[in-house]
Amino acid sequence: MEVERAKKDDDLNSAAATDGGSAEEVSVERIFEASAEVPPPWQNQLTFRAMIVSFILSILFTFVVMKLNLTTGIIPSLNISAGLLGFFFVKTWTKLLQKGGFLKQPFTRQENTVIQTCVVASSGIAFSGGFGSYLFGMSDIVAKQSAEANTPLNIKNPHLGWMIGFLFIVSFLGLFSVVPLRKIMIVDFKLTYPSGTATAHLINSFHTPQGAKLAKKQVRALGKFFSFSFLWGFFQWFFTSGDDCGFANFPTFGLKAYENKFYFDFSATYVGVGMICPYLINVSLLVGSILSWGIMWPLIGAQKGKWYSANLGSTSLHGLQGYKVFIAIAMILGDGLYNFVKVLGRTVFGLYKQFKNRDVLPINERSSPTTITVSYDDKRRTELFLKDRIPSWIAVTGYVVMAIVSIITVPHIFPQLKWYHILTMYIIAPVLAFCNAYGCGLTDWSLASTYGKLAIFTIGAWAGAANGGVLAGLAACGVMMNIVSTASDLMQDFKTGYMTLASPRSMFLSQAIGTAMGCVISPCVFWLFYKAFPDFGQTGTAYPAPYALVYRNMSILGVEGFSALPKHCLMLCYVFFAAAVIVNAVRDLVGPKWARFIPLPMAMAIPFYIGGYFTIDMCVGSLILFIWRKLNKPKADAYSSAVASGLICGEGIWTLPSSILALAGVKPPICMKFLSGSTNLKVDSFLSPS
């Protein structure tokens, strides 16, 4: 799991830690068989109503992901919300049709799985598309903040046309790269894929009589908190007429703490995110905030005029901003490198064991006389999973055709990225996609952004500083990140489909349709943000897109070396890089019992650059969940995800009308600002000189 895309809560993972076959006390498939459920043909799983609901939910979740992407970069798993809302919409639809006597096809768990897959694939493009990282990092808005490599050769401003075209070209390659391996991964290797397994358990439970009743109550709770969050965002808007106005700038712990980014900003979104993310992530974020904004930056700031020039602006990377950005980068790279080596090692070791024990061969083809017990659920699921095969020639042909199209067209979009750079990446990409999909199956960690960072450094350095290497590195990051991210997501969805008896064909087509939706919806939503807010992408504003500057500076670092670093910054980067590796190693050595008390370096790094305000919100979310579990654990476990999803989605969707109001030139009527007593006296005397 990456903290940039913080995925699960602890209970969900532990509940889904094993496959649904022999580990289940009661046979799920016998329950459905007893209710006379017959899985529909794959064509009937891809219904018109499923696609309509998927499209509506894709727009909703894209706004949510985009807002999170452009503020802090922490994105929780929305699989549960997608499954829950998909169930609610289609169940309501079918009930109305049933009452009118027009119902032709009942709502099945396979159709529910198709909706969830399509929505997550579509909204996932808002993350892997790089709108808050590599893609926006190409713009002149971010280039001006870095003050290095900001020549026209290393700048490409966002435009709707090329963004949609680029995403269509690179987003489908990952789908084709791992399709031939689906049987090996799911049936032969029996990889866990905790996220896919958890989602399957959820969808299976919805479609039992008892589960359907609970799902209705969960949807009701989600609806209540969605309404509250939306109305709360609407109410806050009235008080945000100018800079630093509104509840989001309330100095909760005093003005001095506010100056150092410590305050509760009344964001329902991040309270909800805090309820979904594990306690350890939220505590790690808080520890990182205190270490950076509470200790390090005040101490380094006191060296102004000694370590760096006192005349530099607040955004100059040669000043305090440089320490904030590059130390955060060092921690992210240290954490990423450690986890890359660890997951790759586990992947190689796991493959070695399975080949050594001949686990790679299907059960009915083994020469070993050993009798292997297979549960009824596994037999039933394997039978249907292998029934609707996707021919390997389709996958190979699709990959080759898309690669050829990409090699021809991408250099026209990014002239700095040559055809041989892209060809090299596409030769290597299937291996990396397999490693990421396999490692994700073992650990539930997708290292997509780590592979993207490797592309930044290798392709950027290969292109060279004189040939626009900074932009080439960012574009290469986009190509690689989309391929490996889509590959692991598809395999997670195949696991969900395997456990819900959804056809692999319907799952693959659903993922492809969702990806196509995302390639249009995500750029359009980003474009709305980009055009609606004049200070978009600037540090300290409502939508600073902090990771865009981080990714751009990674590319500069890979191409031009350490010239941008201020005094002693390189030494501190080495220290924090090593610390991230050591802390991760200690966490693995002490085991899960004690590791839950040791902060995560990746999570600690995020507030180094952004500030600690959102960590307060997330810790409030954790505190609410902790108290709720102490008072009524069964109810908290049943409804917390629905409540959190409502809080996230409500305020997230408010950004649509607020963006439209901004585009229309409608400004809030009030500015609510908080001043010190002495400043207030000066304002009063200025306004009333008599």
Side-chain angles (χ1 to χ4, degrees), residues 55-387:
F55 180 73
I56 294 167
L57 291 179
S58 293
I59 295 172
L60 167 64
F61 285 126
T62 299
F63 268 99
V64 172
V65 173
M66 194 66 71
K67 179 182 177 180
L68 298 174
N69 216 0
L70 296 172
T71 49
T72 63
I74 298 176
I75 302 166
S77 171
L78 296 172
N79 297 47
I80 294 174
S81 304
L84 192 61
L85 285 172
F87 176 84
F88 168 71
F89 277 121
V90 180
K91 202 69 177 175
T92 305
W93 186 331
T94 54
K95 274 198 171 182
L96 291 172
L97 291 177
Q98 193 171 18
K99 286 180 181 178
F102 300 110
L103 183 62
K104 294 181 180 178
Q105 183 179 339
F107 181 41
T108 62
R109 53 181 173 145
Q110 290 80 23
E111 191 177 351
N112 204 159
T113 304
V114 162
I115 293 170
Q116 182 269 334
T117 298
C118 191
V119 172
V120 172
S122 179
S123 58
I125 298 291
F127 174 78
S128 62
F131 301 101
S133 54
Y134 65 83
L135 191 143
F136 186 52
M138 302 174 183
S139 67
D140 60 352
I141 294 173
V142 178
K144 288 173 184 174
Q145 295 177 58
S146 71
E148 296 283 335
N150 53 6
T151 59
L153 194 62
N154 285 309
I155 292 173
K156 188 171 184 67
N157 284 314
H159 190 275
L160 210 51
W162 75 255
M163 288 192 297
I164 292 174
F166 174 69
L167 289 176
F168 263 107
I169 292 166
V170 300
S171 295
F172 289 90
L173 281 149
L175 297 180
F176 293 114
S177 64
V178 293
V179 164
L181 303 172
R182 66 181 181 85
K183 177 180 174 292
I184 292 173
M185 298 282 213
I186 305 299
V187 178
D188 298 337
F189 287 176
K190 298 189 184 304
L191 295 176
T192 306
Y193 289 104
S195 292
T197 302
T199 306
H201 281 301
L202 184 79
I203 291 173
N204 280 336
S205 71
F206 284 167
H207 293 267
T208 60
Q210 187 178 356
K213 290 177 184 176
L214 178 60
K216 288 178 186 175
K217 293 178 181 177
Q218 288 173 326
V219 167
R220 203 173 295 126
L222 189 150
K224 285 179 184 177
F225 283 90
F226 178 96
S227 303
F228 165 76
S229 180
F230 182 88
L231 293 172
W232 174 239
F234 177 51
F235 174 73
Q236 286 190 84
W237 175 81
F238 284 95
F239 302 92
T240 56
S241 181
D243 293 336
D244 302 325
C245 297
F247 286 91
N249 295 282
F250 187 87
T252 323
F253 308 111
L255 289 169
K256 191 66 179 175
Y258 174 79
E259 289 174 12
N260 286 290
K261 305 283 187 178
F262 280 100
Y263 55 93
F264 178 65
D265 75 346
F266 292 89
S267 170
T269 298
Y270 281 104
V271 172
V273 171
M275 291 178 71
I276 289 179
C277 288
Y279 295 139
L280 181 59
I281 286 182
N282 298 334
V283 172
S284 300
L285 289 166
L286 185 60
V287 170
S289 301
I290 294 168
L291 177 63
S292 56
W293 291 87
I295 300 172
M296 288 179 59
W297 305 156
L299 290 175
I300 294 174
Q303 302 301 316
K304 191 174 184 177
K306 298 177 183 176
W307 286 16
Y308 57 93
S309 172
N311 300 321
L312 294 171
S314 60
T315 60
S316 173
L317 287 178
H318 295 284
L320 182 59
Q321 184 81 339
Y323 296 93
K324 295 176 183 177
V325 171
F326 287 108
I327 292 175
I329 288 173
M331 289 187 74
I332 291 168
L333 291 177
D335 186 281
L337 179 65
Y338 178 87
N339 286 307
F340 172 70
V341 172
K342 184 179 80 172
V343 173
L344 190 63
R346 288 188 65 177
T347 299
V348 172
F349 183 68
L351 283 171
Y352 167 75
K353 280 179 65 179
Q354 284 173 314
F355 277 102
K356 184 181 177 183
N357 299 330
R358 301 178 64 82
D359 284 345
V360 72
L361 296 175
I363 291 165
N364 59 358
E365 294 177 12
R366 295 187 184 183
S367 57
S368 171
T370 307
T371 303
I372 297 172
T373 305
V374 180
S375 70
Y376 175 80
D377 283 0
D378 272 344
K379 286 179 181 176
R380 177 80 172 135
R381 290 165 177 172
T382 302
E383 177 191 345
L384 287 173
F385 189 71
L386 299 179
K387 181 183 173 184

Side-chain angles (χ1 to χ4, degrees), residues 649-664:
C649 294
E651 195 172 71
I653 203 64
W654 162 248
T655 56
L656 173 58
S658 68
S659 301
I660 293 170
L661 289 170
L663 283 171

